[in-house]
């Protein structure tokens, strides 16, 4: 990502972040087709993938995505290494290791950002995966467990020494979860600590944010997470802007088509009963992206609760293309953020 004199050789990459339960195969396909530099699978539990768990295999699927990057989470060397081998055997072009997830269900099992409390153990996991596969291996981390232990620079140095290929840093500690603002300037210490390319993550919601994040962090690129839920086209729009290309917002028709493709893809991927459940968070986010007055409150409730795909698709289309017949109090209503 950088030339020999340290300058960026190309436009900064803009990646779709791994979001557990959110960045399914179809969301990734759409984001990449619409211009994302790269996309990362939702978090896959390494132990479950190593055991042959069917849903973990679906989470790690990457047909039609290139490069296909699988993110693994775990706390033990053997299942992490085995899951990496399985993912690569099934077509993964790169493996990302999760050392940043703040969820209690993950950190309670000593995985995710809990690994930043024990860098020796974290390094053993990194080394086990690096030795297991020949494809690029990266790691995603936070600034540290808390502000008393901002050890991301040290973890990045260890990753480099172990032969990893890149680092992503979310500009918060684990104890912050998603509160406050991501500290992009704190990522600069990680950039200074390693020769690996560093991707900055956290609160990048627009082209202006991306530019400010790159300036503050000195990172090689940015990763867009929650802001892309319901707007998978956002990642490509930011990438185009950073590359100096004119950014033409996606038409309402194209947005409606992308939302419908995503919904239908989830049903094809999981089957109707499970697919409808998986889709609800996305339907709420697409309704938000369509605008606060795009659907009446009653229609918004129907969109996220219906089990009838035909009804859901009709409501999605109405949200983007035919916001007629709104109830007087529709303006300003929202459904909570999906992730």
């Amino acid at each position: 990502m950088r030339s020999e004199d340290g300058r960026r050789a190309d436009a900064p990459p803009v990646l779709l972040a791994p979001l557990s339960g959110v960045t399914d195969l179809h969301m990734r396909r759409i984001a990449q087709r619409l211009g994302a530099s790269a996309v990362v699978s939702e978090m896959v539990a390494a132990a479950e993938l190593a055991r042959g768990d069917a849903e973990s295999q679906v989470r790690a699927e990457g047909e039609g995505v290139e490069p296909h990057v699988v993110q693994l989470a775990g706390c033990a060397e053997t299942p992490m290494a085995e899951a990496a081998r399985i993912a690569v055997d099934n077509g993964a072009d790169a493996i990302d290791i999760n050392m940043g997830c703040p969820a209690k269900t993950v950190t309670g099992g000593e995985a995710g950002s809990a690994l930043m409390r024990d860098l020796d153990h974290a390094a053993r996991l990194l080394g086990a995966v690096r030795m297991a596969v020949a494809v690029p291996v990266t790691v995603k981390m936070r600034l540290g467990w808390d502000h008393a232990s901002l050890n991301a620079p040290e973890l990045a140095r260890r990753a480099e020494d172990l032969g990893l290929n890149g680092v992503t840093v979310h500009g918060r500690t684990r104890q912050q979860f998603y509160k406050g603002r991501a500290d992009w300037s704190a990522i600069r210490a990680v950039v200074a600590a390693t020769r690996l390319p560093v991707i900055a993550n956290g609160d990048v919601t627009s082209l202006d944010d991306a530019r400010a994040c790159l300036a503050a962090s000195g990172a090689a690129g940015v990763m867009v997470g929650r802001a892309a839920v319901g707007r998978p086209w956002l990642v490509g729009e930011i990438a185009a802007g950073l590359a100096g290309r004119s950014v033409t917002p996606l038409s309402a028709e194209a947005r409606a088509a992308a939302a419908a493709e995503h919904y239908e893809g989830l049903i094809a991927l999981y089957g109707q009963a499970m697919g409808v459940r998986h889709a609800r968070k996305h339907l709420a986010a697409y309704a938000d992206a369509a605008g606060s007055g795009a659907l009446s409150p009653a229609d918004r409730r129907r969109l996220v609760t219906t089990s009838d795909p035909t009804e859901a698709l009709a409501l999605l289309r109405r949200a983007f293309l035919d916001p007629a017949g709104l109830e007087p109090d529709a303006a300003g209503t929202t459904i909570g953020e999906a992730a």
Side-chain angles (χ1 to χ4, degrees):
M1 292 184 215
R2 292 180 183 272
S3 61
E4 290 184 1
D5 63 2
R7 293 177 300 178
R8 287 193 182 94
D10 301 300
V14 183
L15 292 75
L16 174 66
L19 297 173
S20 183
V22 176
T23 50
D24 54 75
L25 174 61
H26 292 277
M27 181 177 178
R28 284 180 277 137
R29 282 178 178 171
I30 293 165
Q32 186 166 68
R33 188 178 70 244
L34 296 177
S37 305
V39 296
V40 186
S41 79
E42 56 186 301
M43 182 179 68
V44 178
E48 293 179 8
L49 184 61
R51 286 197 300 267
D53 174 71
E55 186 163 349
S56 295
Q57 292 170 350
V58 171
R59 287 173 180 260
E61 176 60 56
E63 183 180 359
V65 173
E66 187 178 348
H68 172 32
V69 184
V70 174
Q71 189 189 72
L72 297 175
C75 62
E77 297 165 54
T78 298
M80 283 290 285
E82 180 60 20
R85 283 190 288 265
I86 291 170
V88 171
D89 287 346
N90 289 335
D93 299 303
I95 300 296
D96 185 60
I97 301 172
N98 185 315
M99 294 191 176
C101 180
K104 291 180 181 179
T105 54
V106 176
T107 60
E110 298 304 317
S113 56
L115 291 164
M116 300 194 75
R117 294 186 295 188
D118 184 350
L119 294 193
D120 289 339
H121 181 46
R124 287 193 292 272
L125 293 183
L126 296 177
V129 174
R130 175 66 286 169
M131 292 294 292
V133 296
V135 302
V137 177
T138 60
V139 58
K140 189 172 189 290
M141 62 185 73
R142 288 206 163 207
L143 296 174
W145 177 258
D146 55 29
H147 278 92
S149 55
L150 299 178
N151 54 4
E154 174 61 22
L155 182 54
R157 280 192 291 267
R158 294 195 184 203
E160 180 180 344
D161 290 344
L162 288 163
L164 268 70
N165 303 92
V167 171
T168 300
V169 185
H170 182 112
R172 290 183 175 88
T173 67
R174 184 271 176 182
Q175 296 295 64
Q176 287 179 280
F177 285 85
Y178 294 99
K179 296 176 182 177
R181 288 286 301 174
D183 186 352
W184 298 328
S185 62
I187 298 173
R188 188 170 285 275
V190 184
V191 175
T194 179
R195 292 171 295 178
L196 295 177
V198 176
I199 303 297
N201 175 228
D203 293 342
V204 176
T205 66
S206 67
L207 177 57
D208 286 345
D209 284 344
R211 287 172 172 151
C213 177
L214 290 170
S217 66
V222 297
M223 182 174 275
V224 181
R226 291 171 293 162
V229 184
R231 298 189 296 166
W233 48 82
L234 175 65
V235 188
E237 290 178 353
I238 293 174
L242 291 181
R245 301 192 301 271
S246 61
V247 179
T248 303
L250 208 62
S251 68
E253 182 72 44
R255 293 181 185 208
E261 176 187 343
H262 192 179
Y263 181 74
E264 292 177 315
L266 285 170
I267 291 173
L269 188 65
Y270 289 105
Q272 182 168 328
M274 186 179 294
V276 163
R277 292 196 297 273
H278 273 274
R280 283 172 177 158
K281 64 177 77 70
H282 293 289
L283 293 175
Y286 281 120
D288 287 341
S292 60
L295 290 175
S296 69
D299 280 347
R300 291 172 72 87
R301 285 191 294 272
R302 286 169 58 208
L303 176 65
V304 299
T305 58
T306 183
S307 297
D308 180 359
T310 301
E311 181 179 36
L313 288 167
L315 287 165
L316 268 181
R317 185 169 180 84
R318 181 186 303 172
F320 284 99
L321 298 173
D322 185 26
L326 299 181
E327 296 177 10
D329 62 347
T333 60
T334 60
I335 293 175
E337 190 174 73

